[in-house]
Amino acid sequence: MYYQLDASCKYQLVDPPPSLTGQMTRNVNLPVAGDATKYLASGTTTVSVFTTPAGALNYLTSARADTKRCPTSYVQDQDVPNKGLHEIPFTDFTGAVDQVYAEEGQREGNDDILNPYIYLVATKGSVVLTAFAYGETGQTEAQTEARARHALTVMAAKLSRQ
C-alpha cells in the first residue's frame, strides 16, 4: 500500500514509486474493555525499502512538505480529519538512523473528542521506518508520543543489527 496526499489533502492509494522495492505494515488496535468498536489506542508501523538512500530521503522530505501544505488531512474515504498537523522537534531521538521527521496533531476519536496524533519518520540508508500513534479518550500527548517513540526505537534497533 502506498498512500499519497492529493491536491485536496486526502490520502489516496496510488501506485508506489519505482524506487520502492518492498514494504511491510503492522496495525495495532487496543480495544476499550467491553466495547470492541472503540479503541483505547491505535497505531501503525511500517518499514519501507527503497533502491537508494535518495528514495528514502524523498519519502521523508515529502512527509514534511505534505504537513506544511495540508495542516488538515483526511484518510481515504473517511470524513474524520487529522487536524492541526505541524512539525515538532525530535532531536533527542537516539538510535541507528540518519534522519528523523516528526509531526503531531489531533484526530477525532471515541465520542467525537479530539485526541493526540503523532507520526514519526526515520531514514537509515535506503530504509524508511514510520510509526503512527493515535491516542484516545484520556490519553495525553506524552503517552501517545511515548508509544510512537518506543515503536521507532525498537525498529531502529532491529535494523542496526542487520
Side-chain angles (χ1 to χ4, degrees), residues 113-132:
I113 295 171
L114 289 176
N115 295 300
Y117 154 104
I118 188 158
Y119 176 48
L120 306 176
V121 180
T123 63
K124 176 64 177 176
S126 61
V127 177
V128 174
L129 308 172
T130 66
F132 283 99

Side-chain angles (χ1 to χ4, degrees), residues 7 11 22 24 40 49 53 56 78-79 88-89 99 111 126-127 140 159:
Y11 280 99
M24 182 175 178
L40 175 62
V49 180
Q78 293 183 14
D79 292 329
I88 58 172
Q99 294 192 40
D111 305 319
S126 61
V127 177
T140 66
L159 181 62

Side-chain angles (χ1 to χ4, degrees), residues 138-156:
Q139 297 246 310
T140 66
E141 288 179 5
Q143 290 170 313
T144 303
E145 181 180 321
R147 284 199 333 274
R149 180 186 293 269
H150 175 74
L152 192 63
T153 300
V154 169
M155 290 189 301

Side-chain angles (χ1 to χ4, degrees), residues 16-92:
S19 62
L20 181 66
T21 60
Q23 187 176 65
M24 182 175 178
T25 299
R26 179 176 180 236
N27 296 307
V28 177
N29 294 310
L30 178 62
V32 171
D35 189 348
T37 65
K38 294 183 179 181
Y39 299 110
L40 175 62
S42 61
T44 302
T45 55
T46 301
V47 177
S48 303
V49 180
F50 291 84
T51 55
T52 65
L57 183 58
N58 185 57
Y59 186 100
L60 184 140
T61 55
S62 292
R64 178 177 280 131
D66 285 347
T67 300
K68 289 179 181 176
R69 181 174 65 87
C70 297
T72 298
S73 65
Y74 295 83
V75 178
Q76 178 185 17
D77 298 328
Q78 293 183 14
D79 292 329
V80 179
N82 296 318
K83 298 178 178 181
L85 302 179
H86 59 278
E87 185 172 355
I88 58 172
F90 208 71
T91 56
D92 63 336

